[in-house]
Amino acid sequence: MLKKLLAATAATLVMAGAAFADPIEGFWQTEPDDGAFAFVEVVPCGDTYCGTIVRTFNADGEYQSPNIGKMLLIEMAPQGGGEYKGNVWRPSNDKIYIGKVTIEGDVMKMRGCIAGGLLCSSQTWVRLQ
């Protein structure tokens, strides 16, 4: 009886942990930028979320980019309603932008801006896991 109770409690805790995972957490595929795209893992980093490049691809398939291990999403703070604010690094020009992310299901819409929001670029990422 005690074993069944412990097993049921453990299963409930595992399911509850999955239910409380933030929508931004997980693996995402970027849009192609200058002919290449990446898989990015988004995880908690303090009270915010950070996304690191874990795999890279170009027209020839997977390749070992020097950007693997670098952070694309930097300290994305939850704003509520699936929105986050922080910074975004763009590898193709090595610039950091003020970033805003919106999560809708398995789609991440990202916008990076400079000059107080006068010059912006956007991408749509899709969830892998």
Side-chain angles (χ1 to χ4, degrees), residues 38-40 51-56 67-72 89 91:
F39 289 175
V40 175
T52 303
I53 299 170
V54 293
R55 295 174 71 186
T56 52
N67 294 325
I68 292 174
K70 293 187 178 177
M71 200 175 298
L72 280 181
W89 174 60

Side-chain angles (χ1 to χ4, degrees), residues 33-54:
D33 191 8
D34 284 346
F37 67 94
F39 289 175
V40 175
E41 181 180 20
V42 179
V43 298
C45 55
D47 293 338
T48 63
Y49 294 89
C50 297
T52 303
I53 299 170
V54 293

Side-chain angles (χ1 to χ4, degrees), residues 23 27-28 103-108 124-129:
F27 290 88
W28 298 86
I103 306 290
E104 295 176 4
D106 290 335
V107 175
M108 178 189 299
T124 301
W125 295 6
V126 294
R127 185 182 304 277
L128 295 169
Q129 277 181 278

Side-chain angles (χ1 to χ4, degrees), residues 2-15:
L2 182 57
K3 282 184 180 180
K4 287 182 182 179
L5 180 60
L6 290 174
T9 302
T12 301
L13 290 174
V14 168
M15 289 188 306

